Amino acid sequence: YEPEWNYGRAFFDVRHNLNVSATYELPIGTGRRYGSDWNAVTNALLGGWRVSGIFQARTGIPITVIDGRARSLQGERGFERPNCVGEWKPSDQSIDKWLDINGFEAAPLGTWGNCPVGSARAPGYWNVDMMLGKKFNVGPTRYFEFRLEAFNLFNHPNMGPPARDISAPNTFGLITSTIGAPRVIELAFKFYF
């Protein structure tokens, strides 16, 4: 009967989100700064390349710490929360200890915990995708395109959220998953007509 106890940061509340994309045509080949005097074969191989990239960075999503022991004695009411008694973020934060269990305690039997929704944050995320490509014209409106694409170029692991149930102290605060795929490199060859 206290709906305001369930107000807090939504699970999709990403406070800072940066996306930057760019495409750059290399100044090499016919009509460009370098190689404008190349013959047709040399220009077809070395001219007209472009590079594209996307950089993404964002802060972590909110985490609602829970207590799976149903301390309220109200039967199954979904996820119950513990009491907040200290700082959730340990001074030596790592993937093995993202949350400090000492910042929480079980609510007394027959009561609800006071920890708000979204009281902690998961790790942030960043990623770089790159593409190197070239067009090969075969007529006024038709062309082949060759592309070398790298997703997660730096093979950077983005960590998932940690375990958040204080009734399981052996795994609480432990991160065991990643978000997104490892580096993927692919070659693409397309014909546009």
Side-chain angles (χ1 to χ4, degrees):
Y1 301 112
E2 302 287 347
E4 65 274 6
W5 289 357
N6 290 311
Y7 291 146
R9 293 182 280 189
F11 70 92
F12 53 83
D13 177 25
V14 175
R15 288 293 162 105
H16 303 98
N17 191 4
L18 174 67
N19 291 297
V20 178
S21 63
T23 299
Y24 178 68
E25 290 196 19
L26 299 176
I28 302 169
T30 303
R32 295 184 169 85
R33 184 172 182 180
Y34 304 104
S36 59
D37 58 346
W38 285 345
N39 63 41
V41 174
T42 304
N43 184 63
L45 294 174
L46 302 177
W49 288 89
R50 66 188 157 103
V51 178
S52 298
I54 300 172
F55 171 74
Q56 302 170 5
R58 60 182 172 261
T59 54
I61 59 171
I63 302 167
T64 300
V65 176
I66 62 171
D67 187 345
R69 294 173 285 204
R71 303 285 294 176
S72 71
L73 304 177
Q74 299 287 314
E76 184 57 43
R77 295 284 199 136
F79 294 121
E80 294 185 15
R81 296 185 299 276
N83 283 332
C84 288
V85 294
E87 177 61 39
W88 67 267
K89 187 175 182 178
S91 59
D92 58 342
Q93 191 176 46
S94 67
I95 63 170
D96 295 324
K97 189 178 179 184
W98 193 260
L99 301 172
D100 188 352
I101 198 164
N102 297 316
F104 309 93
E105 71 179 10
L109 279 175
T111 65
W112 300 99
N114 67 8
C115 275
V117 171
S119 58
R121 287 239 174 229
Y125 173 93
W126 70 268
N127 183 56
V128 176
D129 297 332
M130 295 290 292
M131 187 277 298
L132 175 67
K134 176 172 175 31
K135 282 188 199 177
F136 297 92
N137 293 320
V138 231
T141 60
R142 297 177 184 174
Y143 61 92
F144 288 99
E145 183 180 32
F146 168 78
R147 292 164 48 141
L148 172 63
E149 300 170 330
F151 303 99
N152 192 1
L153 177 67
F154 298 109
N155 204 26
H156 176 260
N158 289 293
M159 298 298 143
R164 61 194 180 111
D165 188 345
I166 68 164
S167 69
N170 291 339
T171 59
F172 182 80
L174 180 64
I175 296 175
T176 58
S177 65
T178 57
I179 299 171
R183 180 187 306 124
V184 174
I185 298 175
E186 63 185 29
L187 297 174
F189 195 65
K190 298 181 182 179
F191 177 59
Y192 294 85
F193 58 94

